[in-house]
Every structure is written in C-alpha cells, then in structure tokens.
Amino acid sequence: MHDYSPTPDYLKNRVILVTGAGDGIGRQAALEYAAYGATVILLGRTVKKLEAVYDEIVAANGPEPAIVPMDLKGATVKHYQDMAVTIEQQFGALHGILHNASLLGHLSPFKEIQENEYNDIMRVNVHADFFMTQALLPVLLKADNASVIFTSSGVGSKGRAFWGSYAISKFATEGMMQVIADEYDNSTLRFNCINPGKTRTAMRASAYPAEDPLTLRTPEEIMGVYHYLMSDDSVNVTGQTLKAQPDK
Ligand SMILES: NC(=O)c1ccc[n+]([C@@H]2O[C@H](COP(=O)([O-])OP(=O)(O)OC[C@H]3O[C@@H](n4cnc5c(N)ncnc54)[C@H](OP(=O)(O)O)[C@@H]3O)[C@@H](O)[C@H]2O)c1
C-alpha cells in the first residue's frame, strides 16, 4: 500500500472533496487526485493558497477544480447542507472526501488548556468532519463506491502528555469513522482513517520546531495510501486505520 501506484486516469470523471487543500498533505493530495483525473473541490480557509493549487492543477491540464473558501472554525450545519446542495447541482454525485484540515493548537499541560482553544480544535477537527459527512451522505450515495477518508494521528490511538485537545480530537475522529463504517457496512460507502505519520509540513514544524525537517518524509512521499483508499482496489476496505508510512 505504501508503494501503491495507481493506474493513470483512475479518478477520471470522479469528484473528490479535499479539506485543508491549500497546504501540506491536503495540497499534495489535491494535486495528485487531479493529476489522476479527478475534479477536485478545494476547501480551505486561505483563498490565496487555494487559488495557487487551482492554478497549478489547471497549468498541468487537470480537470478544472472548484474552490470552497470556508473557515471550519465558524462553519455551521447550514453551511455544510448548502455545500451539499451546490455539489449535487453542479456535479450530480460525490465520489470521495479527504477530511484533512486540522488545527494543532498549543501543546501544553492538560490543566492549562483554555476553553477557547479546546473548542476551536474540536470544531475544526471533529465537528466539521461529523456534520460535513452527515450533510454529504446523500450525494455520496449517488456515486458508485464512494470513499470517505478521515485523518488521524499516532496520538489518536495512544494518548501522549501535552497533546491534550489535539490528541482527544483524533481519538474522536477514529471513533467517528468506526461508528459510521459499521453503520454503512452493507452499503456502497466506505469510511477509513489515514495516520500520515511524521511528515514535513507547517503543522509538524510547529509541534517540533527544533527538528530538522529534512529528516522527514514529504507529503509527496506518503501518497500511496491516499491513492489506495480513493481507488477501486479498496472497495472492500472499511472501518480501518491505515498508516501512510511503514513502521521503522
Ligand atoms: N504533518 C504531520 O506530521 C502529521 C502527523 C499526523 C497527522 N497529521 C494530520 O494530517 C493532516 C494534514 O496536516 P498537515 O501536516 O498537512 O498540516 P498543515 O500543513 O498545517 O495543513 C493543514 C491544513 O488545514 C487547513 N486548516 C486549518 N484550520 C482550518 C480551518 N479552521 N478551516 C479550514 N481549513 C483549515 C490549513 O489551512 P491554511 O493553509 O489556510 O492554514 C491547511 O491547509 C491533519 O489532519 C493533521 O492532523 C499530520
């Protein structure tokens, strides 16, 4: 899976929503899904970054993407429902979601976590994935074998001191994925998590400022599992958490 190499155009005529598509892992996944034929819906909070990804896809002769500027911190159920209506009207069906956007917050002792930051992290990392998935279910069901990918972390299965709200949000993400996967086990939908592992991005740098980023894999180097779970080779895989990097 880590070396999974998809067939060219395996995403042709498919529509895939990527959250946090302007930077880091989400940016790379959006560029690659488009390179393999998908019409990508680029969702994020910094329009300039989304426009840069849009331009890169168009310059590479990929299918014209769509941009959805949205700050998940303030987004409501109504925003997600409106987005679902627009996607259905514009594209007819949604073949995949990569829930990738996340907020890390400050690493700090549990007793010092502030209510505001806890709420922001839960809104972006958990509520957004929850209510967006809920709103998009009807349009996902219009596709053959749609794939929904959530993004977890090592601290989403084993708690770690000082990773407070972020770690708790990733446990919630894993639980949410397992609940939905079980509920839709007999449907055409599948739900899985990816744990990217240490990856050279702005989020990793803010958690480990003293680390040499050159020791880390780039987003480009961890894309195998992202392709695998979006491809028809994984139609029978659901309820799983897959690591994007092999254990050392
Ligand atoms: N990098 C790692 O080592 C690592 C390890 C384990 C798990 N992960 C997970 O992998 C995923 C991608 O992380 P990354 O390392 O690529 O992080 P990143 O470079 O910081 O990118 C995160 C993306 O999420 C977007 N985002 C953050 N808050 C948002 C909000 N309120 N509304 C909309 N978009 C928002 C950011 O938008 P802006 O660009 O506008 O800020 C950015 O595009 C995350 O779920 C993270 O938890 C990463």
Side-chain angles (χ1 to χ4, degrees):
M1 256 169 310
H2 302 118
D3 297 330
Y4 182 75
S5 71
T7 48
D9 285 346
Y10 83 100
L11 293 174
K12 198 169 174 213
N13 298 325
R14 299 197 188 181
V15 180
I16 294 174
L17 170 65
V18 179
T19 75
D23 213 337
I25 296 167
R27 173 183 172 280
Q28 186 63 34
L31 291 172
E32 296 218 7
Y33 289 152
Y36 283 90
T39 299
V40 182
I41 303 172
L42 307 166
L43 187 152
R45 64 179 168 182
T46 309
V47 175
K48 260 193 179 168
K49 290 186 184 180
L50 299 176
E51 286 174 347
V53 178
Y54 177 103
D55 288 346
E56 218 172 308
I57 290 172
V58 171
N61 293 320
E64 188 180 3
I67 289 182
V68 179
M70 190 183 284
D71 186 340
L72 298 171
K73 211 187 282 182
T76 63
V77 171
K78 176 84 167 62
H79 287 117
Y80 302 131
Q81 288 170 342
D82 290 348
M83 181 171 80
V85 170
T86 306
I87 291 174
E88 182 158 9
Q89 282 170 351
Q90 208 170 328
F91 301 110
L94 183 64
H95 302 81
I97 307 176
L98 173 61
H99 288 294
N100 162 84
S102 273
L103 204 54
L104 174 66
H106 298 96
L107 303 188
S108 67
F110 174 75
K111 67 180 167 58
E112 287 172 19
I113 295 171
Q114 300 294 309
E115 184 183 4
N116 279 355
E117 189 170 87
Y118 172 83
N119 284 338
D120 287 349
I121 290 172
M122 294 309 277
R123 282 195 73 80
V124 175
N125 300 7
V126 183
H127 296 200
D129 292 16
F130 185 112
F131 291 108
M132 198 185 300
T133 303
Q134 197 182 53
L136 289 170
L137 281 171
V139 63
L140 287 164
L141 284 163
K142 297 225 158 158
D144 295 335
N145 304 317
S147 174
V148 180
I149 304 172
F150 296 90
T151 306
S152 182
S153 164
V155 294
S157 57
K158 173 99 175 69
R160 194 183 303 156
F162 313 121
W163 283 71
S165 312
Y166 177 82
I168 293 163
S169 78
K170 294 298 185 182
F171 269 85
T173 300
E174 296 256 359
M176 172 164 48
M177 177 280 288
Q178 290 180 22
V179 167
I180 314 172
D182 198 34
E183 230 171 276
Y184 282 84
D185 201 24
N186 293 317
S187 79
T188 56
L189 304 184
R190 64 196 189 279
F191 300 86
N192 295 285
C193 277
I194 292 178
N195 171 7
K198 306 171 185 175
T199 311
R200 198 188 305 167
T201 67
M203 182 184 288
R204 176 76 192 180
S206 78
Y208 294 92
E211 183 177 62
D212 177 2
L214 296 178
T215 60
L216 303 171
R217 285 198 171 85
T218 62
E220 200 174 350
E221 290 169 322
I222 64 160
M223 283 293 122
V225 168
Y226 287 81
H227 284 297
Y228 172 69
L229 282 181
M230 228 22 117
S231 79
D232 285 346
D233 286 329
S234 63
V235 280
N236 295 319
V237 179
T238 194
Q240 304 297 310
T241 295
L242 303 184
K243 292 182 179 176
Q245 303 186 37
D247 289 325
K248 282 197 177 154

